[in-house]
Amino acid sequence: MAVWALGINHTTAPLDLRGRFAFALDQIAPTLNALRDNVGARLGRQPEAAILSTCNRTEIYCAGAQHEIDTTVEWLAHSGGVSESTLRHHAYTLQDASVARHAFRVASGLDSMVLGEPQILGQLKDAVRVAEQAGALGTTLNQLFQRSFAVAKEVRTSTEIGSHSISMSAASVRLAGQLFEDLSQVRVLFVGAGEMIELAATHFAAKGPKAIVVANRTLERGEKLATRFGGEVMRLADLPARLHEFDVVVSSTASQLPIIGLGAVERALRARKHRPMFMVDLAVPRDIEPEVKALEDVYLYTVDDLAKVVHTGAANRQAAVAQAEAIIDAGVQSFVHWMDQRHAVPLIQQLNHQADEWRAAELARARKLLARGEDVDTVLEALSRGLTQKMLHGPMAELRAGDAEARQRASAAIEQFFLRKER
């Protein structure tokens, strides 16, 4: 079984390119089916597959009879509407042990923009659940991901990898505090109601802002989040008309197109008499048109802009990283050993089947002898002799072969399998 992976992330690809390959959770199952059909046409059989898609990365994990990286690159480039050469320039491809090492590092938060952040593990578990429900997981990828979860758990419990981490949400609050002297006097708008917005709302709410409003397509979900933080909810359609009311805007939706345009922000600034606005776009693809950043009274940050802030204190975590890498090394070795063992499974099954046939034949013969009244010791002697002869027939035949080279190989194998001393 071959294992391969293809991906782009915040270190290899710019935000706009990552946006072309961002898949919402409800898009992953049909996307997996298309991928498996495409690669399966080359392999003659659908491969195992899973897709992890977050604001910082899109990664495809596959397992099949042979590596099909080129086919996977071709399919992903086509699905994102870019050339293969463009995708290859920004992507990374991995095989076998390297796939395991990467998956374990991702699950443990070592490959994240926020070193040690725990959110990625939940996102990986969601990706695995969707792949399993789509029937795209098999024994190999299931083992890979279950082991990645176990490694991540050990890293988090045995090291301090996340003790100094700064989340995207915390970084946003820190930057907002640099712009506004008193965050208790600002009005905050959250666009969306997913996990990223929930995290951001938690951090901003701790500063006691003057108002918290949640804008969401589904009012019920938005109201649930707003109620939690003592805020109010509004329809997403009302956003352009009310944008001027807010000093801070944090957006993270699954929209494939920007929902806050340059014109809406310009109108909001005029209504605010050009009082500054702090805006955070945590979505991939973007929720806020990039041209907004050029406006004089707007301070717009994307996930990539927050990178420098979240890296603060990284030097303090190097010892924890070294510990984590050691745990990951052990996990990779264990997975590779399991993969190597799988190659021998068909032979082991054949050997067990043959041994069972020999045992059954000798037992049947022994029962007949006992039924005829033969002495028990005589029957047991015959049983053991019959089994021994069946086991040794093949090796003895090889030792008697006319080919000297074949006899030499047989001698070495017999010494290894039958004559070695127990250690």
Side-chain angles (χ1 to χ4, degrees):
M1 205 68 169
V3 182
W4 69 96
L6 162 67
I8 56 173
N9 66 20
H10 59 282
T11 64
T12 70
L15 178 60
D16 289 335
L17 183 64
R18 298 203 305 273
R20 286 180 171 271
F21 300 101
F23 300 103
L25 208 57
D26 58 358
Q27 295 177 309
I28 289 181
T31 304
L32 276 172
N33 291 333
L35 166 65
R36 297 178 74 214
D37 287 343
N38 187 278
V39 178
R42 297 284 184 93
L43 287 173
R45 180 181 177 183
Q46 284 191 327
E48 300 178 32
I51 296 176
L52 171 64
S53 185
T54 74
C55 61
N56 286 331
R57 71 183 65 246
T58 293
E59 295 178 343
I60 296 173
Y61 294 85
C62 293
Q66 64 189 45
H67 298 109
E68 283 292 343
I69 291 178
D70 288 344
T71 308
T72 310
V73 171
E74 179 184 344
W75 174 84
L76 185 60
H78 178 74
S79 71
V82 303
S83 67
E84 286 184 51
S85 60
T86 298
L87 178 58
R88 286 184 186 278
H89 180 70
H90 293 283
Y92 43 90
T93 58
L94 306 161
Q95 296 183 17
D96 303 325
S98 296
V99 176
R101 182 177 303 282
H102 182 75
F104 295 170
R105 295 186 86 255
V106 168
S108 301
L110 266 67
D111 197 60
S112 297
M113 181 182 288
V114 182
L115 185 62
E117 58 92 9
Q119 186 181 2
I120 185 63
L121 182 59
Q123 293 168 327
L124 184 57
K125 287 182 176 180
D126 286 341
V128 171
R129 175 179 52 78
V130 172
E132 190 170 24
Q133 290 173 347
L137 280 193
T139 303
T140 302
L141 285 190
N142 188 57
Q143 273 287 325
L144 174 71
F145 291 124
Q146 294 306 318
R147 287 168 184 264
S148 74
F149 301 154
V151 166
K153 182 179 180 180
E154 185 175 356
V155 166
R156 296 184 192 286
T157 55
S158 303
T159 76
E160 296 184 359
I161 195 67
S163 61
H164 305 287
S165 66
I166 302 172
S167 70
M168 293 286 184
S169 301
S172 300
V173 173
R174 177 181 292 186
L175 291 169
Q178 293 174 3
L179 179 62
F180 301 106
E181 290 184 6
D182 187 359
L183 290 181
S184 68
Q185 297 303 308
V186 303
R187 298 175 60 85
V188 186
L189 171 66
F190 296 104
V191 184
E195 187 175 0
M196 289 292 285
I197 289 296
E198 186 175 355
L199 288 169
T202 300
H203 282 80
F204 273 98
K207 299 297 182 181
K210 190 173 184 178
I212 289 178
V213 178
V214 177
N216 196 54
R217 281 195 174 86
T218 307
L219 271 183
E220 183 180 354
R221 186 171 181 182
E223 188 171 11
K224 183 178 179 182
L225 183 62
T227 301
R228 177 179 165 187
F229 296 107
E232 63 173 288
V233 67
M234 76 177 195
R235 296 182 184 278
L236 200 58
D238 296 334
L239 191 153
R242 294 189 58 185
L243 189 59
H244 67 280
E245 299 175 17
F246 304 100
D247 308 293
V248 175
V249 178
V250 182
S251 186
S252 180
T253 74
S255 175
Q256 295 300 301
L257 296 172
I259 57 177
I260 301 177
L262 177 64
V265 179
E266 287 176 328
R267 289 191 295 273
L269 286 173
R270 285 195 294 271
R272 291 172 59 82
K273 301 188 186 307
H274 291 273
R275 282 182 292 116
M277 293 180 72
F278 178 81
M279 307 184 80
V280 180
D281 189 350
L282 297 175
V284 179
R286 297 174 189 257
D287 275 348
I288 303 173
E289 286 187 343
E291 292 81 6
V292 169
K293 196 165 191 173
L295 296 176
E296 187 174 346
D297 298 304
V298 173
Y299 297 83
L300 172 62
Y301 293 86
T302 67
V303 288
D304 287 354
D305 295 325
L306 295 172
K308 291 181 181 179
V309 180
V310 299
H311 284 157
T312 301
N316 298 330
R317 299 192 295 276
Q318 290 312 304
V321 169
Q323 288 180 285
E325 294 286 10
I327 293 170
I328 289 168
D329 284 343
V332 171
Q333 290 175 14
S334 176
F335 179 73
V336 169
H337 179 65
W338 177 81
M339 287 284 288
D340 288 343
Q341 284 184 318
R342 287 201 72 206
H343 293 301
V345 167
L347 183 59
I348 292 171
Q349 291 174 335
Q350 292 176 31
L351 187 59
N352 283 330
H353 180 70
Q354 180 65 79
D356 283 341
E357 284 189 349
W358 289 340
R359 183 177 58 82
E362 290 305 318
L363 277 174
R365 181 168 173 267
R367 289 190 179 103
K368 287 181 181 178
L369 292 175
L370 289 172
R372 290 207 303 261
E374 294 283 348
D375 177 66
V376 172
D377 287 339
T378 302
V379 172
L380 288 175
E381 182 71 24
L383 172 65
S384 64
R385 189 182 305 110
L387 279 174
T388 302
Q389 288 174 345
K390 283 180 170 60
M391 288 174 58
L392 295 180
H393 174 74
M396 298 296 281
E398 289 298 316
L399 283 175
R400 298 190 186 102
D403 187 342
E405 187 177 345
R407 288 200 304 274
Q408 187 174 0
R409 288 198 303 269
S411 296
I414 288 169
E415 288 181 7
Q416 171 70 15
F417 296 135
F418 296 98
L419 302 181
R420 68 176 180 174
K421 293 180 181 180
E422 292 298 330
R423 295 168 187 163

